[in-house]
Amino acid sequence: MDHPTHEIDWRAGGVPVSRRFDDPFFSLENGLAETRHVFLAGNDLPARLRPGFHIAELGFGTGLNLVAAALAWEATGLDGALRFTSFEAFPLSGGDARAALAAFPEAAPLAAAIAAALDGDGLIETPSLSARIVFGDARDTLPAWEGMADAWFLDGFAPARNPELWEPSLLQAVARHTVQGGTCATYSAAGAVRAALTEAGFEVTRVPGYGRKRHMVRGRLA
């Protein structure tokens, strides 16, 4: 399947940086630790995981968040597959994603499947993971989605550089596709993001961020 190529540059340490948004795809310090702090702990995971649990995401990027979630799921020993849906308008090539994930040895078991999904139909099916990358603008694809998420990873590029993924109308669509009591988490603590999530119906809390980032945000749908 043909997708627009997301052109990147590489910084020291193998960190990919988006040319379109002039923003790195993950922490310059430790991307996997950042993901676990922001998106797993921010959604009270893995404690909330149970059979049939569904994570949804804005911004697939390198697939590192999927890796962290899949590893957490496997560590619980739960039966069945973790369900994961990610919305991505500007996917990386499979080769670039695989090169980025090479920085994380723990990602090795999933790197080939992620690369194939990015270059193909967006699907990853294993005994413990049922994942789908939905290609296209989330402002169009999310409202048409029929799924409901237990937890959201809100991982677009910084709001100042990628405002489309933080528009109030899109965050309202996130809320409409969240189960009652479901959660969201994001590295962004921008006032406009907190206000839009609150308006969408989330109870928003600002908590300590990862590394040099002072704050992040977590939300719960009442």
Side-chain angles (χ1 to χ4, degrees), residues 154 159 165-168 171-172 184-207 213-220:
L154 304 180
L165 271 191
W166 307 94
E167 289 180 0
L171 297 181
Q172 287 162 14
C184 67
T186 175
Y187 65 86
S188 176
V193 171
R194 300 201 311 272
L197 286 170
T198 299
E199 181 65 25
F202 287 96
E203 297 173 350
V204 173
T205 307
R206 192 171 66 167
V207 296
K213 192 128 179 28
R214 290 181 58 194
H215 298 114
M216 58 169 275
V217 161
R218 53 191 296 175
R220 180 182 181 275

Side-chain angles (χ1 to χ4, degrees), residues 11-113:
R11 287 189 186 169
V15 175
V17 179
S18 166
R19 290 185 186 174
R20 177 182 291 271
F21 299 109
D22 190 26
D23 218 10
F25 278 83
F26 47 72
S27 169
L28 300 177
E29 299 173 44
N30 186 327
L32 194 52
E34 177 188 41
T35 286
R36 287 169 167 152
H37 177 90
V38 175
F39 297 112
L40 296 189
N43 280 289
D44 295 322
L45 304 177
R48 291 174 55 221
L49 293 176
R50 53 171 175 70
F53 198 86
H54 197 156
I55 295 171
E57 174 182 59
L58 294 183
F60 184 75
T62 64
L64 189 60
N65 296 343
L66 171 61
V67 168
L71 291 172
W73 175 267
E74 290 180 1
T76 67
L78 287 165
D79 290 334
L82 173 68
R83 299 161 68 202
F84 193 101
T85 303
S86 185
F87 297 86
E88 176 59 71
F90 305 106
L92 287 174
S93 70
D96 283 342
R98 197 165 186 168
L101 292 173
F104 307 99
E106 289 173 273
L110 274 175

Side-chain angles (χ1 to χ4, degrees), residues 57-59 87-89 136-145 152-157 162-178 184 193 196-197 199-202:
E57 174 182 59
L58 294 183
F87 297 86
E88 176 59 71
D137 191 323
R139 293 173 294 179
D140 300 322
T141 57
L142 174 53
W145 184 48
W152 277 91
F153 298 173
L154 304 180
D155 197 23
F157 289 104
N162 184 201
E164 294 83 4
L165 271 191
W166 307 94
E167 289 180 0
S169 59
L170 182 56
L171 297 181
Q172 287 162 14
V174 165
R176 288 195 299 272
H177 291 272
T178 305
C184 67
V193 171
L197 286 170
E199 181 65 25
F202 287 96

